[in-house]
Amino acid sequence: MADATYVLAIDQGTTSTRAIVFDHSGQIVETGQLEHEQIFPKAGWVEHDPQEIWRNTREVVGMALTRANITHEHIAAVGITNQRETTVVWDKNTGEPVYNAIVWQDTRTQKIVEELGGSEGADKYKAKVGLPLATYFSGPKVKWILDNVDGAREKAEAGDLLFGNTDAWLVWNMTGGTDGGRHITDVTNASRTMLMNLDSLTWNEDIAADMGIPMSMLPEIRSSSEVYGEGRRGGMVPGVPIAGILGDQQAATFGQACFEVGMAKNTYGTGNFMLINTGTEAVPSENGLLTTVAYKIGDNAPIYALEGSIAVTGSLVQWFRDNLGIISSAPEIEDLAKTVEDNGGAYFVPAFSGLFAPYWKADARGALVGLTRYVNKGHIARAVLEATAFQTREVNDAMAADSGVQLTELKVDGGMVANETLMQFQADILGVDVVRPKVAETTALGAAYAAGIAVGYWQGEQDVIDNWAEGKRWTPQMDDAERERTYRLWKKAVTKTFDWVDDDVS
Ligand code: ADP
């Protein structure tokens, strides 16, 4: 590996899989990207085909290496980042998934979640795992598969089935699959299953038993930065160390160099995810946030975070494009929003799969309120964008209450941060500067750094800090009275979505 000069990151996201070749200064050399099918079998159900994801992964790695005109011999290490919570269960003897991957947004486990909570309710396991019982997390999704797929429970009990988020699915395949594949995951992915003790970073056998999940299905929990294995012979990266795994939001936190207590980032993708570093202490939330692992480098102590997860932000723009057809591409929403001065009194609360942070209300559904004869499509486009910024303000307030830290600026990334109108409105509504880095692909970059640090390609966090550079900054321009007036109306709009689902309404 003497002439290895790059690190490869695989970003297995909700809508697509990307491979990115990074150089030593943290710059992108080349990329490959393929979207995969979003499967919606019923209202509230969202699935992916794990085999399509594995095929796409091989293809995008081939694309990125070919476009960079290099081979695996020039790659020092591979890092993986992934959509978290999305659940794959497969047969270790055949390598075949027993069911499609159940995606993080899927709400089919609502009944399971209520039954598990029983009289103790949603916070039953929170002190141990940092999470409220919700459809979002992997454990209940595994239970659904074992309960509903013919023969799955018998096979699981016989030790034939394996579970993982998509990181584990890819690593198992990349390291050989049925021929000696490693069944491992990292602490950040494990912290999204509802099955890992936050303090000891080990599986909680009692919770697994409550969910009827045999321990033999669970991957070994490893740090986020260490050599887990090597690419299989005959694969795209034979012999190359696979050396970093971080869930996508944790990877972005790492790539944004949020290494000190109180540093935060917000990622604007399909949903929005804001994380604030709380150091070596796992801070319990009293304001609707999740306590999660931010990262763990090799044998170092784990670093924790508080997280505000918002289910629907960029996907509301997609819905506006695909379900209403008012625009034909996501960036066009900005042109439409700019045809008007303000939202015209309209507020759009996209509680399509209930409300995540800080409410955690599964029975909420979307609402567009404040409509008058005056409102036109420009106002609604603006309300769509503003929904993202208002939801972020709510999470920000919850973080300040839980951590005692008032942000002085917010680092942002993700697909929606290309939208300058949204970023300005975000600064206005938060009342603090919003800062976008030069390299906006912070998720893939974070995974690359985790892998590169493990093999000595980078020395440690200081390299990440040194390579981080500011790209653009937005400063608040709205006066305080207007900020509080419009935010008050938003909060009123949110209350209109509560308690919509009935026994005969999903
Ligand atoms: P993910 O990693 O979750 O798949 P990305 O970070 O790639 O998502 O962001 C894609 C999301 O951003 C999509 O939901 C899309 O609707 C939204 N988006 C992309 N460009 C814009 C834009 N210019 N304005 C508003 N939303 C946008």
Side-chain angles (χ1 to χ4, degrees), residues 15 18 268-270 314-315 317-318 330-331 333 385 414-416 419:
T15 52
R18 268 183 284 231
Y268 298 70
T270 311
S315 57
V317 176
Q318 285 169 9
I333 196 160
L385 293 180
M416 289 184 98
N419 192 312

Side-chain angles (χ1 to χ4, degrees), residues 128-129 190 194-205 207 221 293 304:
K128 296 212 168 60
V129 302
M194 295 209 79
L195 298 167
M196 188 184 79
N197 296 307
L198 265 188
D199 53 359
S200 61
L201 308 182
T202 54
W203 296 122
N204 185 309
E205 298 196 20
I207 302 177
I221 302 173
V293 183
Y304 294 92

Side-chain angles (χ1 to χ4, degrees), residues 150-468:
D150 266 356
R153 184 163 298 283
E154 293 71 33
K155 276 193 189 161
E157 274 161 13
D160 290 331
L161 298 190
L162 304 178
F163 148 75
N165 291 155
T166 58
D167 64 311
W169 167 243
L170 291 185
V171 170
W172 186 80
N173 278 294
M174 288 175 75
T175 55
T178 52
D179 185 18
R182 301 279 164 87
H183 187 218
I184 56 131
T185 190
D186 91 304
V187 286
T188 68
N189 275 284
S191 78
R192 317 299 294 188
T193 58
M194 295 209 79
L195 298 167
M196 188 184 79
N197 296 307
L198 265 188
D199 53 359
S200 61
L201 308 182
T202 54
W203 296 122
N204 185 309
E205 298 196 20
D206 296 336
I207 302 177
D210 285 358
M211 297 188 191
I213 301 172
M215 298 303 294
S216 58
M217 288 183 76
L218 302 179
E220 185 187 341
I221 302 173
R222 307 280 288 266
S223 81
S224 318
S225 176
E226 62 177 281
V227 176
Y228 312 112
E230 292 181 348
R232 71 201 160 102
R233 268 189 320 208
M236 293 305 300
V237 283
V240 180
I242 299 169
I245 305 176
L246 285 160
D248 51 10
Q249 302 310 323
Q250 283 87 344
T253 309
F254 204 83
Q256 288 269 31
C258 296
F259 299 128
E260 287 173 31
V261 175
M263 287 184 149
K265 71 87 206 181
N266 196 19
T267 300
Y268 298 70
T270 311
N272 259 40
F273 300 88
M274 187 160 158
L275 273 79
I276 187 166
N277 183 322
T278 63
T280 50
E281 192 193 348
V283 176
S285 175
E286 278 158 25
N287 294 280
L289 303 176
L290 310 177
T291 307
T292 199
V293 183
Y295 57 89
K296 174 171 159 54
I297 304 294
D299 292 332
N300 295 354
I303 300 296
Y304 294 92
L306 280 167
E307 171 175 323
S309 327
I310 306 169
V312 178
T313 57
S315 57
L316 180 60
V317 176
Q318 285 169 9
W319 178 88
F320 193 67
R321 180 194 64 193
D322 301 339
N323 294 41
L324 300 189
I326 296 174
I327 50 172
S328 55
S329 74
E332 278 175 41
I333 196 160
E334 188 167 10
D335 303 329
L336 191 53
K338 279 194 192 145
T339 60
V340 291
E341 289 285 298
D342 55 30
N343 63 18
Y347 291 81
F348 198 152
V349 186
F352 293 166
S353 42
L355 286 166
F356 281 19
Y359 298 100
W360 299 102
K361 284 192 184 290
D363 59 3
R365 287 296 177 268
L368 178 54
V369 301
L371 298 185
T372 58
R373 186 71 179 77
Y374 171 73
V375 170
N376 65 32
K377 60 184 175 182
H379 296 121
I380 295 176
R382 199 167 265 273
V384 163
L385 293 180
E386 291 185 355
T388 295
F390 284 127
Q391 293 184 95
T392 298
R393 164 78 190 264
E394 292 193 289
V395 163
N396 180 66
D397 289 359
M399 275 184 179
D402 272 342
S403 69
V405 178
Q406 288 287 349
L407 288 189
T408 50
E409 63 176 34
L410 181 64
K411 288 176 165 179
V412 300
D413 51 61
M416 289 184 98
V417 302
N419 192 312
E420 306 242 349
T421 305
L422 170 61
M423 290 299 104
Q424 181 59 52
F425 188 75
Q426 184 68 85
D428 288 343
I429 286 300
L430 287 175
V432 297
D433 284 9
V434 167
V435 184
R436 186 172 73 194
K438 273 213 173 94
V439 177
E441 293 283 0
T442 51
T443 304
L445 186 57
Y449 280 132
I453 289 171
V455 298
Y457 181 82
W458 285 296
Q459 298 316 306
E461 287 99 312
Q462 192 57 45
D463 281 325
V464 186
I465 296 165
D466 294 344
N467 287 345
W468 190 93

